[in-house]
């Protein structure tokens, strides 16, 4: 059995890193972070679309490259390493995956080519406030093809053009496609820890809505989309965590204290070793998730939960230990460590907190053991 990426996939990873090193340095990220009127890097978004990354997993008949999910995982890891300030996850991991999973032929033909071309920015609007999203927490409703209600927070909701909205229809949850540039939509930008991935409150007042998938199956469909997104997000998180370890190691080997490089002190060695162990655990679970996603294996819900938990915890740990390794200077605005700390928290919440995924993992294990 081969537990590694193929040579072609490794080449794609190498080329993606070269592209992002040239087009998405931390200086590029800071330009978005420091500018309140620049919610994302539009030039990078256009360049990524030209590279074909937005359509990596989209079939060729719908304007994509038709490469598959393993290639998308490779790209996701490099985007995470670069903390790319673009709405890639919202558009590709959530919207595109949902349309490919449950859209009818007309919806696929209309939406997927536009996603691949970078003409659509997506957003998932499921949450309506603090706490996990459940069928009982949904208050937004659709009647006669019109959506009423509010969603908050919605990642990239301030710039999205098409939203995937969880709402009730005839008392049952459904997933609906809503044009955010059309009538009946109001947006309110929200302050976030990571301004390179903005969020908004969306209020719908009779906005036209098209159902995605069968009636009454919205929550089950959302869980399937979440499983797919969890694996892809895990690769972003793993990429970011690895970059934190690289930064901490490089600084520890050049910073002197009391006549010695700080990397020679046991306390610093332990930090770096702990980061490495957590990162490798996250990578192993991410690979398991990638296999399940790419093969359509029935283990996907279990693998996705494990990948989500391990990657969220590894990235958060690596981000904060990177700052600690840098010492006092690590807390300053001039050092890039805080970019990764911000993104680690954002990615750790965007598809549900680790607590939610731990409960989901336990339920999956109980179900498997009962069988």
């Amino acid at each position: 059995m081969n537990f590694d990426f193929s040579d072609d996939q490794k080449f794609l990873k190498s080329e993606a890193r070269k592209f992002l090193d040239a087009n998405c340095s931390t200086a590029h990220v800071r330009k978005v972070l420091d500018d309140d009127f620049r919610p994302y890097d539009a030039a990078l978004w256009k360049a990524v679309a030209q590279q074909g990354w937005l359509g990596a997993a989209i079939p060729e008949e719908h304007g994509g490259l038709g490469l598959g999910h393993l290639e998308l995982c490779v790209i996701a890891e490099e985007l995470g390493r670069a903390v790319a300030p673009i709405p890639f996850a919202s558009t590709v991991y959530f919207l595109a995956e949902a349309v490919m999973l449950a859209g009818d032929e007309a919806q696929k033909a209309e939406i997927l080519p536009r996603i691949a071309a970078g003409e659509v920015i997506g957003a998932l609007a499921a949450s309506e406030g603090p706490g996990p999203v459940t069928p009982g927490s949904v208050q937004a409703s659709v009647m006669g093809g019109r959506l009423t209600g509010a969603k908050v927070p919605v990642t990239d909701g301030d710039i999205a053009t098409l939203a995937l909205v969880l709402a009730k229809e005839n008392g049952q949850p459904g997933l609906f496609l809503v044009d955010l540039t059309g009538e009946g939509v109001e947006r309110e930008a929200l302050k976030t820890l990571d301004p390179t991935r903005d969020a908004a409150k969306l209020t719908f007042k009779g906005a036209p809505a098209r159902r995605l998938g069968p009636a009454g199956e919205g929550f089950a469909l959302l869980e399937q989309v979440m499983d797919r997104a969890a694996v892809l997000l895990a690769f972003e998180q793993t990429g970011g965590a690895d970059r934190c370890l690289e930064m901490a190691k490089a600084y520890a080997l050049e910073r002197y204290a009391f006549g010695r490089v700080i990397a020679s002190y046991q306390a610093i060695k332990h930090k770096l070793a702990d980061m490495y162990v957590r990162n490798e655990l996250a990578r192993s679970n991410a690979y398991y998730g990638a296999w399940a996603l790419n093969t359509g294996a029935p283990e996907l819900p279990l693998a996705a939960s494990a990948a989500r938990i391990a990657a969220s915890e590894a990235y958060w740990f690596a981000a904060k230990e990177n700052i600690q390794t840098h010492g006092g200077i690590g807390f300053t605005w001039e050092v890039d460590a805080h970019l990764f700390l911000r993104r680690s928290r954002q990615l750790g919440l965007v598809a549900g907190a680790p607590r939610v995924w731990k409960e989901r993992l336990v339920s999956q294990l109980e179900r498997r053991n009962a069988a």
Side-chain angles (χ1 to χ4, degrees):
M1 297 178 67
N2 183 7
F3 293 98
D4 199 2
F5 289 113
S6 68
D7 290 340
D8 287 343
Q9 290 158 353
K10 290 178 180 178
F11 178 74
L12 174 61
K13 179 182 177 69
S14 174
E15 291 301 302
R17 181 169 299 187
K18 291 178 184 177
F19 172 83
L20 290 169
D21 284 345
N23 295 278
C24 188
S25 66
T26 53
H28 289 86
V29 179
R30 284 176 175 273
K31 288 180 180 179
V32 176
L33 180 64
D34 293 334
D35 190 343
D36 292 338
F37 300 99
R38 190 179 183 186
Y40 75 110
D41 190 333
L44 178 62
W45 180 252
K46 181 179 179 179
V48 163
Q50 292 172 344
Q51 291 290 314
W53 293 359
L54 296 173
I58 294 176
E60 291 184 75
E61 60 266 29
H62 294 304
L65 298 181
L67 296 177
H69 285 98
L70 289 182
E71 287 76 11
L72 186 54
C73 288
V74 166
I75 293 170
E77 185 174 351
E78 293 307 312
L79 289 170
R81 174 186 170 85
V83 287
I86 54 176
F88 194 91
S90 298
T91 304
V92 178
Y93 309 163
F94 292 103
L95 179 61
E97 287 297 321
V99 174
M100 287 192 290
L101 183 64
D104 58 34
E105 287 306 312
Q107 290 170 333
K108 291 178 182 178
E110 174 196 351
I111 298 170
L112 293 179
R114 297 181 62 217
I115 290 177
E119 298 172 0
V120 169
I121 294 177
L124 173 65
S127 173
E128 296 185 10
V133 177
T134 65
S137 70
V138 180
Q139 299 300 315
S141 63
V142 172
M143 183 176 296
R146 297 281 176 167
L147 172 64
T148 301
K151 295 291 179 176
V152 60
V154 179
T155 301
D156 297 317
D158 57 332
I159 57 174
T161 58
L162 184 63
L164 184 66
V165 183
L166 180 67
K168 287 185 176 178
E169 183 183 38
N170 298 322
Q172 297 296 320
L175 276 181
F176 297 87
L177 296 168
V178 180
D179 182 0
L180 298 184
T181 65
E183 60 176 308
V185 179
E186 296 180 359
R187 313 188 201 214
E188 178 187 348
L190 303 176
K191 293 287 186 180
T192 65
L193 179 64
D194 184 4
T196 64
R197 292 296 308 279
D198 279 349
K201 177 181 180 180
L202 299 181
T203 302
F204 303 101
K205 299 180 178 180
R210 294 177 291 166
R211 191 177 67 246
L212 188 70
E217 297 295 324
F219 197 78
L221 175 57
L222 177 63
E223 287 189 324
Q224 294 179 61
V225 173
M226 285 293 192
D227 285 339
R228 292 170 173 234
V231 174
L232 297 165
L233 288 169
F235 275 89
E236 274 205 27
Q237 292 168 306
T238 300
D242 279 348
R243 182 67 184 122
C244 288
L245 176 57
E246 292 174 12
M247 292 171 64
K249 175 187 173 184
Y251 184 76
L253 288 171
E254 70 180 23
R255 174 74 167 97
Y256 277 77
F258 304 106
R260 296 165 53 185
V261 291
I262 63 173
S264 67
Y265 290 105
Q266 193 173 42
I268 298 298
K269 290 180 180 179
H270 285 178
K271 283 184 183 294
L272 298 179
D274 288 343
M275 292 167 69
Y276 175 79
V277 169
R278 290 174 184 254
N279 286 6
E280 288 305 299
L281 178 62
R283 184 176 301 281
S284 297
N285 281 287
Y287 276 39
Y288 178 34
W291 164 80
L293 175 60
N294 194 59
T295 61
E299 294 93 337
L300 178 57
L302 178 64
S305 299
R308 176 67 175 161
I309 295 164
S312 295
E313 293 184 348
Y315 196 4
W316 164 239
F317 183 83
K320 67 186 183 70
E321 289 301 312
N322 182 33
I323 290 178
Q324 290 291 331
T325 302
H326 278 76
I329 195 174
F331 290 86
T332 64
W333 189 258
E334 289 75 17
V335 174
D336 291 332
H338 68 90
L339 299 176
F340 296 87
L341 183 73
R342 293 166 182 267
R343 185 58 62 85
S344 73
R345 301 312 289 163
Q346 192 273 334
L347 290 178
L349 294 173
V350 70
R355 174 175 61 87
V356 175
W357 287 93
K358 288 177 181 178
E359 293 176 358
R360 182 165 168 74
L361 176 62
V362 170
S363 67
Q364 292 294 328
L365 290 171
E366 289 177 340
R367 191 174 305 162
R368 186 185 68 178
N369 293 340

